[in-house]
Amino acid sequence: MALKDVLIDDLRDMYSAENQLVKALPKLAKGAKSSELKTLFTTHLDETKGQVERLKQVFELLGESPTGEHCNGMEGVIEEGADALEKDEEGASFDSGIIGAALRTEHYEIAGYTAAIAMSKVLDLSAVTSLLSENMNEELTAAKKILAAAQPILKAAASEPEAERGPKSGKEKYSHKKSK
């Protein structure tokens, strides 16, 4: 398989990932208790829609269709976020779980864009590299903003009393039952 074909497969994966996030981010925004997190997720939703549009431009430049791949990795990361939303946690501890899921999402995207940018540079596709770099920069900024917003939430969660251990989400309850 030629490097350009690998790049196109990776880009289709990223296109799928970003479209999955367009559907998942409103759920994170709705579920978050912190108003700052709600705002960050809503703002990043708008950025993600812009990233989808830039990926469409990349595919136009390459003369390819963006569809054809389903990003199983992002599906799994989003499932972890959904699991965080189902937890029976209270207060800052609840938002701490959402923060972890959000950061895993951002770093998954950063890894994908890092690889795609490296390939596009080797292939001397400067217009593609430029568009992908815009997406990458937004992802890096989003991760930094989430981490900054996380600090007071994590400190508040650290001062909360420890709850009784046991399965807290539907997924954990299912796994707990299966492991007996």
Side-chain angles (χ1 to χ4, degrees):
M1 179 183 282
L3 182 59
K4 187 173 179 183
D5 294 330
V6 175
L7 173 61
I8 290 166
D9 282 350
D10 275 12
L11 290 171
R12 285 182 175 139
D13 199 61
M14 291 305 299
Y15 183 78
S16 169
E18 296 293 7
N19 277 295
Q20 289 179 54
L21 282 172
V22 166
K23 295 175 184 168
L25 281 167
K27 295 173 187 169
L28 284 177
K30 183 179 179 185
K33 306 287 186 224
S34 159
S35 61
E36 188 174 0
L37 284 180
K38 286 179 182 290
T39 300
L40 283 173
F41 295 144
T42 301
T43 301
H44 195 52
L45 173 61
D46 292 335
E47 290 173 342
T48 302
K49 288 176 181 177
Q51 292 165 6
V52 168
E53 291 306 311
R54 279 192 288 278
L55 286 170
K56 285 180 184 177
Q57 292 174 27
V58 165
F59 282 103
E60 284 178 29
L61 289 168
L62 296 172
E64 296 285 339
S65 167
T67 57
E69 290 286 324
H70 177 74
C71 184
N72 294 320
M74 183 56 76
E75 181 179 22
V77 173
I78 288 172
E79 187 177 309
E80 293 295 324
D83 190 45
L85 289 171
E86 291 178 11
K87 298 244 180 189
D88 293 333
E89 300 288 349
E90 296 291 328
S93 293
F94 179 82
D95 277 345
S96 296
I98 293 174
I99 289 164
L103 286 170
R104 282 189 294 279
T105 300
E106 294 310 313
H107 286 277
Y108 185 90
E109 292 174 291
I110 290 165
Y113 284 119
T114 299
I117 289 167
M119 287 183 251
S120 68
K121 283 180 178 178
V122 168
L123 293 168
D124 200 26
L125 300 169
S126 58
V128 169
T129 301
S130 177
L131 290 164
L132 296 176
S133 294
E134 284 184 63
N135 285 8
M136 169 76 123
N137 289 335
E138 286 179 352
E139 300 301 357
L140 289 166
T141 300
K144 286 177 187 170
K145 287 179 180 178
I146 293 166
L147 198 54
Q151 297 311 306
I153 294 167
L154 296 174
K155 286 179 183 174
S159 67
E160 293 176 349
E162 287 194 30
E164 183 181 315
R165 278 301 294 158
K168 297 189 181 271
S169 68
K171 180 180 172 184
E172 286 178 351
K173 289 173 185 169
Y174 175 80
S175 295
H176 182 73
K177 191 163 68 171
K178 291 293 265 183
S179 66
K180 285 186 177 185

